[in-house]
Amino acid sequence: MKIRRSGQQQRPLTYERYERLFVEFSERVEKLLLRCLYVLLAGLLISQLLLQFPAVRKEITRVDPLEGVPYVRHGKE
């Protein structure tokens, strides 16, 4: 990416040039958004995996100890 200096003469912005610049910009933004999406998805998967282990879940969440004793049904009635 070149930095334009105020003293330099700029070419007029034609439709084709504008379209090319827009496509270049949108491709860069799209790549950045996809990288962010992959990082967030990986974080979600890792956090859900860690919540499957009771020892880790106890350290991560504050609500888990407040849930009480689980109800277990004994035998048939």
Side-chain angles (χ1 to χ4, degrees):
M1 176 180 257
K2 294 181 182 179
I3 299 174
R4 295 179 187 165
R5 303 194 189 272
S6 59
Q8 292 179 343
Q9 195 72 351
Q10 294 182 7
R11 296 184 315 197
L13 190 61
T14 62
Y15 178 77
E16 291 82 16
R17 184 166 174 254
Y18 174 79
E19 187 175 10
R20 182 178 48 81
L21 289 172
F22 180 77
V23 169
E24 289 174 8
F25 172 75
S26 61
E27 286 175 352
R28 280 188 269 152
V29 170
E30 183 179 342
K31 287 178 185 178
L32 178 68
L33 289 175
L34 279 174
R35 286 181 188 153
C36 289
L37 179 67
Y38 292 146
V39 168
L40 290 174
L41 185 61
L44 175 67
L45 291 175
I46 291 170
S47 66
Q48 290 298 313
L49 179 67
L50 288 174
L51 287 174
Q52 299 300 311
F53 302 104
V56 177
R57 184 174 54 238
K58 180 181 175 187
E59 296 297 322
I60 293 177
T61 66
R62 290 183 278 188
V63 178
D64 201 43
L66 302 175
E67 290 185 8
V69 180
Y71 175 76
V72 179
R73 192 175 210 171
H74 296 286
K76 296 181 181 179
E77 291 184 21

